[in-house]
Amino acid sequence: MMGLRTLKPTDGFSDLAPGMELMPLVGERMDQRPNHVAESAGQNGGGGSDTKIVFSNSGPDHSIFYDIHIFYYLWYGSPQMDSSYIHWDHVLVPHWDPKIAASHPKGRHNPPDDIASSYYPELGPYSSRDPDVIESHMAQIEAAAAGVVVLSWYPPGVADEHGKPTEDLVPAVMDAAHRHSIKVAFHLQPYKGRTDLSVHDNIKYIIDKYGKHGAFYRFRSSTGKILPLFYVYDSYLTPPEAWAELLTISGSHSLRGTPYDGIFIALIVEERHKQDILAGGFDGMYTYFASNGFSFGSSHQNWKAIKAFCDKNNLLFVPSAGPGYMDTAVRPWNNHNTRNRVNGRYYETSLQAAMSIRPDIITVTSFNEWHEGTQIERAVPKKTVARLYLDYKPHQPDHYLELTRKWAEHFSKEKEQWLM
């Protein structure tokens, strides 16, 4: 969904109502480990033994929390930096049923006045290559107190079907993140020909190229291992037997126990994916989608049971909270999955649901997935001849950044209570 593939009826649509119910706190104890720790240098069996531990910056006004991870996109382009708009001019994706497709508009958006989003960014339809944009983004993420940016990543020369390659931008993002005490993790995107073997090469590439950078994120596991953490989007597209060759100790090209070992987090969409993720040798699962009720994994009411399964099998469960969902600017037929922001109440309900299961990490979908209306990036009111955009009023453009900070601080305090 994040990759803007066409949703199919089998994509985990659910009859569940998009309930906003809060779940009671559950009683499992957290791993006994320091809170808000990001590992920035060295790794077991890897590059050097001088592992530095970066704790939260001190003081309530400048704290940052490395257990709040936020999904970040690099796929935007503008004529000034990229010779044309990229992604802001996204096509209107047709429905898979020709009868339904016939009743919805076709074509593509026409920036700068008509962009592929229901909201309008304060920075305008920007380029992800613009150093000033990257700097502004990292400042916004720091203001939100989210300690880890999860970078949507494709291998060199590869892009999503609507974009252009962006791997060459990663160093600039990491440098900017480092200036703001933010760490960077990688969100491995599906691409044509992605297999367990190609992912082996991808992991080796990322660790060889970025593993010594001060912003490279490492996670301290419950067993005390300090390893890079990777989110694997649409992991279910590859069978568990293939993942096991990469992610179990007896696999034919196993990463386990090598300098390229890591914490690998798979996407849970359907309930059956729990067993597949376990069989594939993954270390945990995340839910990604910001539309409560859209899939089994993204339905808040299922999180307690998924967490219990993960606890039983020594897996991490990483729920994904989002401020709302609205992708009708790119999928005009998908309004049944819209989730209204309710001035921030939907986001707070989502964060409360995530926190109530006592996870190690909470992910936020997203900083800037504007197509799907999950962004917390600053947005402004905008009206053009053709379009009236939604905005964050009656609140300010930084409303969702402020809510993120508030809940990141709350999560930190809650964790201290769980450990008592």
Side-chain angles (χ1 to χ4, degrees), residues 302-331:
N302 297 327
W303 286 356
K304 187 177 177 183
I306 300 170
K307 175 66 158 59
F309 175 87
C310 288
D311 286 349
K312 191 174 118 194
N313 292 289
N314 198 27
L315 299 172
L316 287 167
F317 178 47
V318 183
S320 304
Y325 187 89
M326 181 175 283
D327 68 356
T328 48
V330 290
R331 301 185 192 101

Side-chain angles (χ1 to χ4, degrees), residues 14-35:
S14 161
D15 296 322
L16 296 172
M20 301 267 289
E21 57 282 333
L22 299 182
M23 292 174 296
L25 285 171
V26 290
E28 299 96 43
R29 279 174 68 80
M30 279 271 304
D31 285 337
Q32 298 280 346
R33 80 160 76 96
N35 290 335

Side-chain angles (χ1 to χ4, degrees), residues 40 85 94 118 149 151 155 189 225 229 252 297 313 369 372 415:
S40 65
Y85 284 108
S118 296
V149 163
L151 210 52
Q189 296 300 316
K225 280 192 187 154
L229 187 144
S252 59
N313 292 289
E369 217 299 8
E372 294 182 341
K415 275 189 165 180

Side-chain angles (χ1 to χ4, degrees), residues 56-108:
S56 303
N57 297 342
S58 57
D61 298 332
H62 300 288
S63 46
I64 193 161
F65 301 100
Y66 296 104
D67 48 10
I68 303 290
H69 297 189
I70 187 161
F71 295 112
Y72 183 83
Y73 293 88
L74 277 174
W75 56 24
Y76 300 107
S78 68
Q80 296 82 353
M81 303 293 296
D82 306 271
S83 76
S84 65
Y85 284 108
I86 306 170
H87 265 271
W88 300 114
D89 65 344
H90 203 285
V91 295
L92 295 162
V93 178
H95 195 274
W96 54 85
D97 180 336
K99 288 196 190 74
I100 297 174
S103 64
H104 290 286
K106 298 172 182 60
R108 65 187 317 130

Side-chain angles (χ1 to χ4, degrees), residues 92-396:
L92 295 162
V93 178
H95 195 274
W96 54 85
D97 180 336
K99 288 196 190 74
I100 297 174
S103 64
H104 290 286
K106 298 172 182 60
R108 65 187 317 130
H109 290 278
N110 185 23
D113 286 350
D114 168 30
I115 66 168
S117 173
S118 296
Y119 294 84
Y120 204 86
E122 185 180 67
L123 296 172
Y126 55 75
S127 169
S128 297
R129 292 189 174 276
D130 186 335
D132 294 338
V133 167
I134 297 171
E135 184 61 32
S136 169
H137 284 172
M138 295 305 132
Q140 290 182 56
I141 292 165
E142 183 184 21
V148 180
V149 163
V150 184
L151 210 52
S152 182
W153 188 86
Y154 291 88
V158 180
D160 72 280
E161 60 182 313
H162 303 285
K164 292 183 181 172
T166 55
E167 211 287 322
D168 60 312
L169 283 177
V170 175
V173 174
M174 294 190 79
D175 289 348
H178 196 49
R179 290 194 291 274
H180 292 273
S181 306
I182 294 165
K183 303 292 165 193
V184 177
F186 289 80
H187 198 187
L188 305 183
Q189 296 300 316
Y191 50 84
K192 194 173 162 48
R194 185 178 77 175
T195 65
D196 50 305
L197 277 166
S198 73
V199 171
H200 182 283
D201 294 343
N202 298 157
I203 298 298
K204 186 174 186 303
Y205 175 91
I206 289 169
I207 292 174
D208 283 347
K209 187 164 183 189
Y210 305 117
K212 291 191 170 67
H213 195 290
F216 189 76
Y217 176 68
R218 287 184 172 86
F219 177 79
R220 181 198 290 269
S221 74
S222 54
T223 56
K225 280 192 187 154
I226 295 165
L227 293 169
L229 187 144
F230 297 93
Y231 293 89
V232 185
Y233 190 71
D234 277 0
S235 45
Y236 60 82
L237 295 175
T238 301
E241 309 80 62
W243 286 123
E245 298 293 351
L246 184 70
L247 299 178
T248 62
I249 198 81
S250 58
S252 59
H253 39 270
S254 178
L255 294 168
R256 301 307 188 186
T258 75
Y260 302 106
D261 203 351
I263 309 287
F264 296 91
I265 311 294
L267 180 68
I268 176 168
V269 181
E270 299 174 31
E271 184 168 17
R272 64 185 172 86
H273 293 156
K274 289 188 304 192
Q275 293 295 344
D276 290 347
I277 288 165
L278 181 64
F282 284 94
D283 302 285
M285 54 191 82
Y286 74 116
T287 63
Y288 186 76
F289 303 116
S291 184
N292 181 21
F294 163 73
S295 69
F296 173 84
S298 72
S299 299
H300 303 165
Q301 67 180 41
N302 297 327
W303 286 356
K304 187 177 177 183
I306 300 170
K307 175 66 158 59
F309 175 87
C310 288
D311 286 349
K312 191 174 118 194
N313 292 289
N314 198 27
L315 299 172
L316 287 167
F317 178 47
V318 183
S320 304
Y325 187 89
M326 181 175 283
D327 68 356
T328 48
V330 290
R331 301 185 192 101
W333 39 266
N334 196 33
N335 57 356
H336 58 286
N337 278 310
T338 293
R339 300 292 179 265
N340 193 308
R341 293 192 175 217
V342 208
N343 295 332
R345 287 205 296 279
Y346 181 91
Y347 192 30
E348 296 201 79
T349 299
S350 182
L351 288 160
Q352 170 66 53
M355 203 182 301
S356 73
I357 56 158
R358 303 191 170 195
D360 292 70
I361 294 165
I362 294 173
T363 48
V364 173
T365 305
S366 64
F367 179 71
N368 64 339
E369 217 299 8
W370 289 89
H371 305 311
E372 294 182 341
T374 63
Q375 81 291 335
I376 67 166
E377 183 181 353
R378 292 168 67 98
V380 291
K382 175 89 171 170
K383 186 174 189 287
T384 69
V385 174
R387 300 279 307 269
L388 173 62
Y389 291 90
L390 299 174
D391 55 54
Y392 301 163
K393 283 178 160 179
H395 302 288
Q396 295 301 308

